[in-house]
Amino acid sequence: MVSIDTIMPHNGPVRIGDRTFAGIGAIPLNVWAKIFVAAMRARLLKQRSRRHLRHLSDDQLRDIGVTRDQALTEASKPIWWYRK
């Protein structure tokens, strides 16, 4: 048996927020849409805060413990680069 044979698909219940669905296929389209919209909002918010880093003064950056190079590196990341 190779390792790929040991991977089992997830067919059990899926919990999203306070709702439980029978499985991935049972999640309605409107729930997927809400998840997508929430993810895009989070990414847009992060991108906006990254852009604000460019405009902070050196004193403000020092207050938050970030160097100018770190701020510019973070500000130049694309919108799909998202980590919590």
Side-chain angles (χ1 to χ4, degrees), residues 10-83:
H10 177 71
N11 292 327
V14 176
R15 186 161 179 81
I16 299 175
D18 60 343
R19 297 175 66 184
T20 302
F21 300 96
I24 293 290
I27 300 174
L29 184 59
N30 67 335
V31 174
W32 283 117
K34 288 178 185 178
I35 292 169
F36 176 77
V37 168
M40 287 308 298
R41 279 187 185 148
R43 282 169 171 74
L44 289 171
L45 180 62
K46 185 161 282 243
Q47 185 68 15
R48 188 178 310 135
S49 64
R50 284 179 177 152
R51 282 193 204 126
H52 287 308
L53 282 174
R54 284 190 186 135
H55 305 292
L56 294 178
S57 69
D58 289 333
D59 291 332
Q60 292 171 321
L61 290 172
R62 191 173 28 253
D63 286 345
I64 61 173
V66 176
T67 66
R68 173 66 55 193
D69 289 337
Q70 289 172 329
L72 293 176
T73 299
E74 189 68 24
S76 66
K77 289 182 181 175
I79 193 169
W80 59 83
W81 183 267
Y82 182 83
R83 294 208 182 179

